[in-house]
Amino acid sequence: MAFGSSLGLAGSFVAVACGLVGYFLVLRAQVFAGDALSHVAFTGALGAAAMGVDARIGLFGASVLVALGMGGLGDRARADDVTIGTVFAWILGLGVLFLTIFTTNRSAGNGTAAVRVLFGSILGLSRADAWIAVGIAAGCALLLLAVARPLLFASLDPEVAVAQGVPVAVLGFLFLGLMGAVAGEATQAVGALLLLGLVAAPAGAAHRLARSPSAGLALSAGFALAAVWIGLALSYSVSQLPPSTAIVSVAVAIYAATWLGDASRAARARTS
């Protein structure tokens, strides 16, 4: 398979994983947690780079471990805003420390690594990175779909779910772990600063349009996939437009279109 095809495949799988995780992220009102994890990925990658090891070790390790840690500090593995905000501030402080160590002790040519983590670029992935992205994203998507029904129950009505014997806390930890893994992988494609746009915007649009959870999951994944492919096409057409910016811009445009549609329907309902 050609290198460009492997990048397209990686982008597709990462998009689907982001869409599926994003749907539950919005449903469970944990978007702030997703934002925090994007910065955790940045700090983890810089920490690993500062220690001279593969940045992906820090990227995934920090994202998953901190996600599970936030769940442990919250109620039923569902981190609250105070917990997330505290972790957020702490992890950003560590990020500044690691950035200072990295830029001080490493050669100037390696300084671009920090920029790549912050803003990402799917076109910067090697063939091996692309196939790793496919494997991780596919695994996360399949696992999430396998637990989608009980996770939906636990998200909508945790009290009744507990009474029915659903392992709400275990599902909460599992979801946060998956969210951490997806955040770590997607950071390589769109960057830590723009990650939330690809996770939350398609999911938010799907929640506005879908009338059932299954339709919502499908729409969220489809919107994220469309954002990646249209974004890559725009970036290819406009040489000065970074792929990450194009991808997230399309995702936000999709959400804005659904919001405007809702506002228009509400205005017509008021005047009729």
Side-chain angles (χ1 to χ4, degrees), residues 239-268:
S239 59
Q240 299 301 314
L241 182 63
S244 303
T245 302
I247 290 169
V248 174
S249 296
V250 174
V252 172
I254 291 172
Y255 177 78
T258 61
W259 182 86
L260 289 173
D262 276 357
S264 177
R265 285 191 293 272
R268 288 197 300 269

PDB file of all heavy atoms in Angstrom, residues 239-268:
ATOM      1  N   SER A 239      -1.834  25.224  -0.078  1.00  0.00           N
ATOM      2  CA  SER A 239      -0.548  24.759   0.456  1.00  0.00           C
ATOM      3  C   SER A 239      -0.187  25.397   1.791  1.00  0.00           C
ATOM      4  O   SER A 239       0.532  24.810   2.593  1.00  0.00           O
ATOM      5  CB  SER A 239       0.569  25.036  -0.562  1.00  0.00           C
ATOM      6  OG  SER A 239       0.657  26.426  -0.853  1.00  0.00           O
ATOM      7  N   GLN A 240      -0.675  26.600   2.061  1.00  0.00           N
ATOM      8  CA  GLN A 240      -0.350  27.285   3.310  1.00  0.00           C
ATOM      9  C   GLN A 240      -1.261  26.891   4.473  1.00  0.00           C
ATOM     10  O   GLN A 240      -1.077  27.357   5.598  1.00  0.00           O
ATOM     11  CB  GLN A 240      -0.442  28.806   3.113  1.00  0.00           C
ATOM     12  CG  GLN A 240       0.527  29.349   2.072  1.00  0.00           C
ATOM     13  CD  GLN A 240       1.969  29.049   2.421  1.00  0.00           C
ATOM     14  OE1 GLN A 240       2.404  29.236   3.548  1.00  0.00           O
ATOM     15  NE2 GLN A 240       2.723  28.548   1.442  1.00  0.00           N
ATOM     16  N   LEU A 241      -2.245  26.053   4.206  1.00  0.00           N
ATOM     17  CA  LEU A 241      -3.206  25.661   5.242  1.00  0.00           C
ATOM     18  C   LEU A 241      -2.759  24.360   5.895  1.00  0.00           C
ATOM     19  O   LEU A 241      -2.739  23.307   5.251  1.00  0.00           O
ATOM     20  CB  LEU A 241      -4.585  25.485   4.621  1.00  0.00           C
ATOM     21  CG  LEU A 241      -5.741  25.111   5.562  1.00  0.00           C
ATOM     22  CD1 LEU A 241      -5.967  26.214   6.590  1.00  0.00           C
ATOM     23  CD2 LEU A 241      -7.013  24.841   4.763  1.00  0.00           C
ATOM     24  N   PRO A 242      -2.405  24.388   7.192  1.00  0.00           N
ATOM     25  CA  PRO A 242      -1.971  23.156   7.867  1.00  0.00           C
ATOM     26  C   PRO A 242      -3.107  22.140   7.944  1.00  0.00           C
ATOM     27  O   PRO A 242      -4.274  22.521   8.132  1.00  0.00           O
ATOM     28  CB  PRO A 242      -1.575  23.645   9.275  1.00  0.00           C
ATOM     29  CG  PRO A 242      -1.357  25.108   9.136  1.00  0.00           C
ATOM     30  CD  PRO A 242      -2.317  25.559   8.072  1.00  0.00           C
ATOM     31  N   PRO A 243      -2.812  20.858   7.812  1.00  0.00           N
ATOM     32  CA  PRO A 243      -3.866  19.836   7.875  1.00  0.00           C
ATOM     33  C   PRO A 243      -4.668  19.887   9.173  1.00  0.00           C
ATOM     34  O   PRO A 243      -5.889  19.744   9.151  1.00  0.00           O
ATOM     35  CB  PRO A 243      -3.094  18.517   7.749  1.00  0.00           C
ATOM     36  CG  PRO A 243      -1.822  18.880   7.076  1.00  0.00           C
ATOM     37  CD  PRO A 243      -1.497  20.259   7.529  1.00  0.00           C
ATOM     38  N   SER A 244      -3.994  20.090  10.294  1.00  0.00           N
ATOM     39  CA  SER A 244      -4.688  20.112  11.582  1.00  0.00           C
ATOM     40  C   SER A 244      -5.718  21.235  11.630  1.00  0.00           C
ATOM     41  O   SER A 244      -6.855  21.042  12.081  1.00  0.00           O
ATOM     42  CB  SER A 244      -3.679  20.279  12.723  1.00  0.00           C
ATOM     43  OG  SER A 244      -2.709  19.262  12.691  1.00  0.00           O
ATOM     44  N   THR A 245      -5.314  22.407  11.174  1.00  0.00           N
ATOM     45  CA  THR A 245      -6.231  23.552  11.152  1.00  0.00           C
ATOM     46  C   THR A 245      -7.423  23.275  10.247  1.00  0.00           C
ATOM     47  O   THR A 245      -8.575  23.575  10.609  1.00  0.00           O
ATOM     48  CB  THR A 245      -5.495  24.807  10.648  1.00  0.00           C
ATOM     49  OG1 THR A 245      -4.370  25.067  11.489  1.00  0.00           O
ATOM     50  CG2 THR A 245      -6.413  26.010  10.650  1.00  0.00           C
ATOM     51  N   ALA A 246      -7.162  22.705   9.090  1.00  0.00           N
ATOM     52  CA  ALA A 246      -8.246  22.419   8.153  1.00  0.00           C
ATOM     53  C   ALA A 246      -9.215  21.393   8.722  1.00  0.00           C
ATOM     54  O   ALA A 246     -10.441  21.558   8.628  1.00  0.00           O
ATOM     55  CB  ALA A 246      -7.653  21.919   6.829  1.00  0.00           C
ATOM     56  N   ILE A 247      -8.675  20.344   9.325  1.00  0.00           N
ATOM     57  CA  ILE A 247      -9.528  19.284   9.881  1.00  0.00           C
ATOM     58  C   ILE A 247     -10.438  19.824  10.970  1.00  0.00           C
ATOM     59  O   ILE A 247     -11.662  19.600  10.960  1.00  0.00           O
ATOM     60  CB  ILE A 247      -8.654  18.136  10.426  1.00  0.00           C
ATOM     61  CG1 ILE A 247      -7.989  17.379   9.270  1.00  0.00           C
ATOM     62  CG2 ILE A 247      -9.486  17.175  11.279  1.00  0.00           C
ATOM     63  CD1 ILE A 247      -6.918  16.403   9.714  1.00  0.00           C
ATOM     64  N   VAL A 248      -9.865  20.550  11.911  1.00  0.00           N
ATOM     65  CA  VAL A 248     -10.670  21.066  13.025  1.00  0.00           C
ATOM     66  C   VAL A 248     -11.634  22.141  12.549  1.00  0.00           C
ATOM     67  O   VAL A 248     -12.762  22.244  13.053  1.00  0.00           O
ATOM     68  CB  VAL A 248      -9.744  21.590  14.149  1.00  0.00           C
ATOM     69  CG1 VAL A 248     -10.558  22.256  15.247  1.00  0.00           C
ATOM     70  CG2 VAL A 248      -8.925  20.445  14.736  1.00  0.00           C
ATOM     71  N   SER A 249     -11.231  22.935  11.569  1.00  0.00           N
ATOM     72  CA  SER A 249     -12.131  23.963  11.030  1.00  0.00           C
ATOM     73  C   SER A 249     -13.374  23.326  10.406  1.00  0.00           C
ATOM     74  O   SER A 249     -14.491  23.829  10.578  1.00  0.00           O
ATOM     75  CB  SER A 249     -11.397  24.810   9.985  1.00  0.00           C
ATOM     76  OG  SER A 249     -10.330  25.527  10.578  1.00  0.00           O
ATOM     77  N   VAL A 250     -13.188  22.238   9.679  1.00  0.00           N
ATOM     78  CA  VAL A 250     -14.333  21.539   9.088  1.00  0.00           C
ATOM     79  C   VAL A 250     -15.222  20.961  10.187  1.00  0.00           C
ATOM     80  O   VAL A 250     -16.456  21.048  10.106  1.00  0.00           O
ATOM     81  CB  VAL A 250     -13.858  20.424   8.136  1.00  0.00           C
ATOM     82  CG1 VAL A 250     -15.045  19.597   7.644  1.00  0.00           C
ATOM     83  CG2 VAL A 250     -13.113  21.013   6.949  1.00  0.00           C
ATOM     84  N   ALA A 251     -14.608  20.382  11.218  1.00  0.00           N
ATOM     85  CA  ALA A 251     -15.387  19.816  12.327  1.00  0.00           C
ATOM     86  C   ALA A 251     -16.234  20.893  12.996  1.00  0.00           C
ATOM     87  O   ALA A 251     -17.421  20.691  13.296  1.00  0.00           O
ATOM     88  CB  ALA A 251     -14.460  19.151  13.340  1.00  0.00           C
ATOM     89  N   VAL A 252     -15.630  22.053  13.242  1.00  0.00           N
ATOM     90  CA  VAL A 252     -16.363  23.162  13.862  1.00  0.00           C
ATOM     91  C   VAL A 252     -17.457  23.675  12.933  1.00  0.00           C
ATOM     92  O   VAL A 252     -18.557  24.032  13.382  1.00  0.00           O
ATOM     93  CB  VAL A 252     -15.388  24.292  14.250  1.00  0.00           C
ATOM     94  CG1 VAL A 252     -16.148  25.529  14.720  1.00  0.00           C
ATOM     95  CG2 VAL A 252     -14.438  23.818  15.349  1.00  0.00           C
ATOM     96  N   ALA A 253     -17.180  23.709  11.635  1.00  0.00           N
ATOM     97  CA  ALA A 253     -18.190  24.155  10.667  1.00  0.00           C
ATOM     98  C   ALA A 253     -19.396  23.219  10.663  1.00  0.00           C
ATOM     99  O   ALA A 253     -20.548  23.672  10.545  1.00  0.00           O
ATOM    100  CB  ALA A 253     -17.574  24.237   9.272  1.00  0.00           C
ATOM    101  N   ILE A 254     -19.146  21.922  10.799  1.00  0.00           N
ATOM    102  CA  ILE A 254     -20.253  20.953  10.857  1.00  0.00           C
ATOM    103  C   ILE A 254     -21.120  21.227  12.085  1.00  0.00           C
ATOM    104  O   ILE A 254     -22.359  21.248  12.003  1.00  0.00           O
ATOM    105  CB  ILE A 254     -19.700  19.519  10.891  1.00  0.00           C
ATOM    106  CG1 ILE A 254     -19.074  19.168   9.541  1.00  0.00           C
ATOM    107  CG2 ILE A 254     -20.811  18.513  11.240  1.00  0.00           C
ATOM    108  CD1 ILE A 254     -18.334  17.843   9.540  1.00  0.00           C
ATOM    109  N   TYR A 255     -20.464  21.461  13.223  1.00  0.00           N
ATOM    110  CA  TYR A 255     -21.230  21.754  14.439  1.00  0.00           C
ATOM    111  C   TYR A 255     -21.999  23.068  14.291  1.00  0.00           C
ATOM    112  O   TYR A 255     -23.170  23.165  14.679  1.00  0.00           O
ATOM    113  CB  TYR A 255     -20.301  21.837  15.646  1.00  0.00           C
ATOM    114  CG  TYR A 255     -21.036  22.210  16.917  1.00  0.00           C
ATOM    115  CD1 TYR A 255     -21.788  21.257  17.596  1.00  0.00           C
ATOM    116  CD2 TYR A 255     -21.014  23.513  17.391  1.00  0.00           C
ATOM    117  CE1 TYR A 255     -22.486  21.596  18.743  1.00  0.00           C
ATOM    118  CE2 TYR A 255     -21.714  23.858  18.532  1.00  0.00           C
ATOM    119  CZ  TYR A 255     -22.452  22.901  19.200  1.00  0.00           C
ATOM    120  OH  TYR A 255     -23.152  23.244  20.323  1.00  0.00           O
ATOM    121  N   ALA A 256     -21.348  24.078  13.727  1.00  0.00           N
ATOM    122  CA  ALA A 256     -22.005  25.377  13.550  1.00  0.00           C
ATOM    123  C   ALA A 256     -23.229  25.252  12.648  1.00  0.00           C
ATOM    124  O   ALA A 256     -24.263  25.900  12.887  1.00  0.00           O
ATOM    125  CB  ALA A 256     -21.020  26.389  12.976  1.00  0.00           C
ATOM    126  N   ALA A 257     -23.128  24.424  11.624  1.00  0.00           N
ATOM    127  CA  ALA A 257     -24.263  24.241  10.713  1.00  0.00           C
ATOM    128  C   ALA A 257     -25.453  23.620  11.435  1.00  0.00           C
ATOM    129  O   ALA A 257     -26.607  24.037  11.218  1.00  0.00           O
ATOM    130  CB  ALA A 257     -23.844  23.366   9.532  1.00  0.00           C
ATOM    131  N   THR A 258     -25.199  22.641  12.296  1.00  0.00           N
ATOM    132  CA  THR A 258     -26.312  22.027  13.032  1.00  0.00           C
ATOM    133  C   THR A 258     -26.899  23.011  14.036  1.00  0.00           C
ATOM    134  O   THR A 258     -28.109  23.036  14.256  1.00  0.00           O
ATOM    135  CB  THR A 258     -25.844  20.755  13.755  1.00  0.00           C
ATOM    136  OG1 THR A 258     -24.815  21.075  14.695  1.00  0.00           O
ATOM    137  CG2 THR A 258     -25.315  19.735  12.769  1.00  0.00           C
ATOM    138  N   TRP A 259     -26.032  23.829  14.650  1.00  0.00           N
ATOM    139  CA  TRP A 259     -26.525  24.829  15.600  1.00  0.00           C
ATOM    140  C   TRP A 259     -27.397  25.858  14.891  1.00  0.00           C
ATOM    141  O   TRP A 259     -28.463  26.233  15.383  1.00  0.00           O
ATOM    142  CB  TRP A 259     -25.346  25.519  16.289  1.00  0.00           C
ATOM    143  CG  TRP A 259     -25.772  26.534  17.312  1.00  0.00           C
ATOM    144  CD1 TRP A 259     -26.083  26.315  18.617  1.00  0.00           C
ATOM    145  CD2 TRP A 259     -25.954  27.944  17.089  1.00  0.00           C
ATOM    146  NE1 TRP A 259     -26.448  27.494  19.232  1.00  0.00           N
ATOM    147  CE2 TRP A 259     -26.376  28.506  18.314  1.00  0.00           C
ATOM    148  CE3 TRP A 259     -25.791  28.771  15.972  1.00  0.00           C
ATOM    149  CZ2 TRP A 259     -26.625  29.863  18.449  1.00  0.00           C
ATOM    150  CZ3 TRP A 259     -26.056  30.133  16.116  1.00  0.00           C
ATOM    151  CH2 TRP A 259     -26.462  30.663  17.341  1.00  0.00           C
ATOM    152  N   LEU A 260     -26.950  26.318  13.728  1.00  0.00           N
ATOM    153  CA  LEU A 260     -27.741  27.281  12.970  1.00  0.00           C
ATOM    154  C   LEU A 260     -29.059  26.668  12.515  1.00  0.00           C
ATOM    155  O   LEU A 260     -30.093  27.346  12.482  1.00  0.00           O
ATOM    156  CB  LEU A 260     -26.940  27.769  11.765  1.00  0.00           C
ATOM    157  CG  LEU A 260     -25.759  28.687  12.076  1.00  0.00           C
ATOM    158  CD1 LEU A 260     -24.949  28.953  10.812  1.00  0.00           C
ATOM    159  CD2 LEU A 260     -26.242  29.995  12.691  1.00  0.00           C
ATOM    160  N   GLY A 261     -29.021  25.378  12.159  1.00  0.00           N
ATOM    161  CA  GLY A 261     -30.254  24.704  11.777  1.00  0.00           C
ATOM    162  C   GLY A 261     -31.247  24.654  12.918  1.00  0.00           C
ATOM    163  O   GLY A 261     -32.445  24.911  12.728  1.00  0.00           O
ATOM    164  N   ASP A 262     -30.763  24.341  14.124  1.00  0.00           N
ATOM    165  CA  ASP A 262     -31.637  24.322  15.305  1.00  0.00           C
ATOM    166  C   ASP A 262     -32.200  25.707  15.590  1.00  0.00           C
ATOM    167  O   ASP A 262     -33.392  25.866  15.907  1.00  0.00           O
ATOM    168  CB  ASP A 262     -30.850  23.824  16.521  1.00  0.00           C
ATOM    169  CG  ASP A 262     -30.818  22.308  16.594  1.00  0.00           C
ATOM    170  OD1 ASP A 262     -31.453  21.657  15.746  1.00  0.00           O
ATOM    171  OD2 ASP A 262     -30.156  21.772  17.505  1.00  0.00           O
ATOM    172  N   ALA A 263     -31.334  26.724  15.487  1.00  0.00           N
ATOM    173  CA  ALA A 263     -31.783  28.088  15.763  1.00  0.00           C
ATOM    174  C   ALA A 263     -32.829  28.524  14.746  1.00  0.00           C
ATOM    175  O   ALA A 263     -33.817  29.193  15.095  1.00  0.00           O
ATOM    176  CB  ALA A 263     -30.589  29.042  15.730  1.00  0.00           C
ATOM    177  N   SER A 264     -32.634  28.143  13.492  1.00  0.00           N
ATOM    178  CA  SER A 264     -33.607  28.509  12.455  1.00  0.00           C
ATOM    179  C   SER A 264     -34.946  27.823  12.690  1.00  0.00           C
ATOM    180  O   SER A 264     -36.002  28.462  12.563  1.00  0.00           O
ATOM    181  CB  SER A 264     -33.038  28.122  11.080  1.00  0.00           C
ATOM    182  OG  SER A 264     -33.962  28.385  10.072  1.00  0.00           O
ATOM    183  N   ARG A 265     -34.910  26.546  13.033  1.00  0.00           N
ATOM    184  CA  ARG A 265     -36.172  25.828  13.300  1.00  0.00           C
ATOM    185  C   ARG A 265     -36.888  26.407  14.515  1.00  0.00           C
ATOM    186  O   ARG A 265     -38.118  26.538  14.531  1.00  0.00           O
ATOM    187  CB  ARG A 265     -35.890  24.345  13.512  1.00  0.00           C
ATOM    188  CG  ARG A 265     -35.577  23.593  12.220  1.00  0.00           C
ATOM    189  CD  ARG A 265     -35.562  22.101  12.448  1.00  0.00           C
ATOM    190  NE  ARG A 265     -34.450  21.704  13.293  1.00  0.00           N
ATOM    191  CZ  ARG A 265     -33.237  21.405  12.829  1.00  0.00           C
ATOM    192  NH1 ARG A 265     -32.976  21.475  11.546  1.00  0.00           N
ATOM    193  NH2 ARG A 265     -32.266  21.043  13.671  1.00  0.00           N
ATOM    194  N   ALA A 266     -36.114  26.789  15.548  1.00  0.00           N
ATOM    195  CA  ALA A 266     -36.735  27.364  16.739  1.00  0.00           C
ATOM    196  C   ALA A 266     -37.376  28.710  16.413  1.00  0.00           C
ATOM    197  O   ALA A 266     -38.470  29.040  16.911  1.00  0.00           O
ATOM    198  CB  ALA A 266     -35.678  27.540  17.832  1.00  0.00           C
ATOM    199  N   ALA A 267     -36.715  29.512  15.568  1.00  0.00           N
ATOM    200  CA  ALA A 267     -37.268  30.812  15.190  1.00  0.00           C
ATOM    201  C   ALA A 267     -38.570  30.649  14.396  1.00  0.00           C
ATOM    202  O   ALA A 267     -39.541  31.374  14.617  1.00  0.00           O
ATOM    203  CB  ALA A 267     -36.236  31.585  14.386  1.00  0.00           C
ATOM    204  N   ARG A 268     -38.578  29.658  13.468  1.00  0.00           N
ATOM    205  CA  ARG A 268     -39.797  29.419  12.705  1.00  0.00           C
ATOM    206  C   ARG A 268     -40.928  28.929  13.596  1.00  0.00           C
ATOM    207  O   ARG A 268     -42.094  29.284  13.398  1.00  0.00           O
ATOM    208  CB  ARG A 268     -39.511  28.395  11.595  1.00  0.00           C
ATOM    209  CG  ARG A 268     -38.675  28.937  10.461  1.00  0.00           C
ATOM    210  CD  ARG A 268     -38.785  28.045   9.225  1.00  0.00           C
ATOM    211  NE  ARG A 268     -38.333  26.694   9.510  1.00  0.00           N
ATOM    212  CZ  ARG A 268     -37.089  26.276   9.339  1.00  0.00           C
ATOM    213  NH1 ARG A 268     -36.148  27.129   8.916  1.00  0.00           N
ATOM    214  NH2 ARG A 268     -36.757  25.021   9.592  1.00  0.00           N
TER     215      ARG A 268
END
